[in-house]
Amino acid sequence: MRAIVQDVYGPPEVLRLDEIDRPVPGRGEVLLRVHAAGLDQGVWHLMTGTPYALRAAGFGLRAPGQRIRGMDVAGRVEAVGAGVTRFRPGDEVYGTCAGSFAEYACAKEDGLAPRPARLTPEEAAVVAISASTALQALRAGRLEPGQRVLVIGAAGGVGTYAVQLAKALGAGHVTGVCSTPKTELVRSLGADEVVDYTREDPTDVAQPYDLVLDIGGNRPLRRLRRALARGGTLIIVGGETGGRWIGGHDRQLRALLLSPFTRHRLRGLAATPRQEDLRALGEFIESGAITPVVDRTYPLPQVPDAIRRLREGRVRGKIAIRVAARREPHA
């Protein structure tokens, strides 16, 4: 089968399209014929091996432990391993796996859910990681109906879902923060107000917010707290700054340490896609409450180009990778 692999950490140039053996599902796993995959910042971190804390966490100290990149996936079940009860060959599913930039991939049964019928494979492939993160961030923020929510990074992968989910969960007023070219997109997602951060500071507010989601930003905690109402909650989701050792997680650590001494709840988020969340997201999707935003779709050989576009910061929503597995004889 064809797959995007890497043997060393580095920039997109370390990735290559190669022919490798098809994987065999183990206990509790299913073999997927991959139709499409999703791309997010996590792929870049695993490709480069930064921040270095990732390597110490078990992803490979000197070289990638998992050679095939890609985590978000949509495809069809080809075979099931021992102990699998929820799926059977022929089922169309979406979720997460290790190594989705390949024509076939093995995924844990509890990392998948039935693909919503109204989504194409490319749309389904960009849901699991980003939408689960948005949903878990809103839950961690204890969102209640009628509350005011500020989403910083509203046009990105997580942000586009956060705006839609906040409205679906009953938020009274949602403000999305993005750059000038992306304001109309964020407005179309249902945001009540859109702030262009290139023209004004979104933390200078006349009416504070009950919940602030800072998605992949780098604003100091003191500025973010200015936007919070008394007793309000700040959830820091990811971050692309902070050095090569711990990346943007330094703000999350400082928020956790500072929180007991303030009138606000300050939290970081380490999201993990769960099957129950995938099923909940499927219900939101089928009802029309949320719709994936696909910036553009790249064929499998062009994954390096897709990653370069992602790092340029011009992506609206998510990038999808069309895999379109070839039919191969079974071993």
Side-chain angles (χ1 to χ4, degrees):
M1 70 171 189
R2 297 183 306 163
I4 296 291
V5 301
Q6 68 175 114
D7 296 309
V8 296
Y9 290 120
E13 288 74 21
V14 304
L15 302 178
R16 71 180 190 278
L17 184 67
D18 202 358
E19 290 278 349
I20 63 174
D21 292 336
R22 189 192 306 184
V24 177
R27 184 172 185 82
E29 293 183 333
V30 304
L31 175 66
L32 297 178
R33 186 176 183 188
V34 179
H35 294 158
L39 175 62
D40 59 40
Q41 297 290 356
V43 170
W44 182 85
H45 288 296
L46 292 174
M47 179 188 72
T48 60
T50 57
Y52 295 141
L54 279 175
R55 306 189 190 194
F59 291 97
L61 287 175
R62 296 181 179 273
Q66 165 69 31
R67 295 178 66 220
I68 307 174
R69 293 277 63 83
M71 295 178 286
D72 271 323
V73 68
R76 184 174 67 243
V77 176
E78 286 287 292
V80 300
V84 172
T85 60
R86 296 189 183 98
F87 302 107
R88 63 183 64 183
D91 288 347
E92 296 286 342
V93 298
Y94 81 113
T96 59
C97 69
S100 61
F101 295 165
E103 291 181 318
Y104 292 87
C106 287
K108 295 181 179 179
E109 179 183 28
D110 58 7
L112 301 171
R115 172 161 67 90
R118 67 188 293 263
L119 297 187
T120 67
E122 289 78 16
E123 290 171 328
V126 301
V127 173
I129 291 176
S130 294
S132 292
T133 299
L135 181 61
Q136 292 175 29
L138 292 167
R139 287 173 175 169
R142 301 176 184 175
L143 175 64
E144 297 180 3
Q147 289 188 328
R148 290 173 53 81
V149 179
L150 177 67
V151 180
I152 301 175
V158 177
T160 52
Y161 289 112
V163 170
Q164 295 178 82
L165 284 168
K167 294 300 293 185
L169 293 170
H173 185 98
V174 176
T175 298
V177 180
C178 61
S179 60
T180 307
K182 303 175 182 179
T183 54
E184 288 306 312
L185 167 65
V186 174
R187 190 170 288 109
S188 73
L189 297 174
D192 300 287
E193 181 182 355
V194 180
V195 173
D196 181 349
Y197 69 80
T198 68
R199 299 181 178 180
E200 56 184 306
D201 186 342
T203 64
D204 286 337
V205 298
Q207 188 173 355
Y209 294 89
D210 302 291
L211 173 60
V212 173
L213 302 185
D214 187 31
I215 303 170
N218 58 6
R219 290 174 177 81
L221 294 179
R222 65 179 182 278
R223 286 177 57 190
L224 293 170
R225 288 177 56 207
R226 291 191 315 198
L228 282 174
R230 181 180 293 272
T233 299
L234 166 67
I235 303 294
I236 299 175
V237 183
E240 295 301 316
T241 61
R244 298 180 66 84
W245 288 97
I246 61 174
H249 297 292
D250 62 323
R251 286 192 313 147
Q252 297 190 11
L253 293 173
R254 286 187 282 111
L256 187 62
L257 293 173
L258 179 63
S259 185
F261 305 100
T262 73
R263 61 186 182 182
H264 303 130
R265 291 180 66 247
L266 311 178
R267 298 287 187 271
L269 181 73
T272 302
R274 298 185 292 257
Q275 188 176 71
E276 55 267 32
D277 288 342
L278 294 177
R279 291 183 179 276
L281 290 168
E283 293 176 2
F284 281 118
I285 291 168
E286 294 289 21
S287 71
I290 63 174
T291 299
V293 177
V294 179
D295 176 81
R296 64 177 60 181
T297 299
Y298 287 79
L300 183 63
Q302 294 181 18
V303 164
D305 293 332
I307 294 176
R308 293 185 188 99
R309 177 172 174 80
L310 175 70
R311 294 299 292 178
E312 290 171 357
R314 295 185 290 117
V315 175
R316 293 174 169 86
K318 296 286 292 288
I319 288 176
I321 307 298
R322 182 180 294 114
V323 178
R326 299 168 298 179
R327 291 192 177 276
E328 300 178 10
H330 289 283

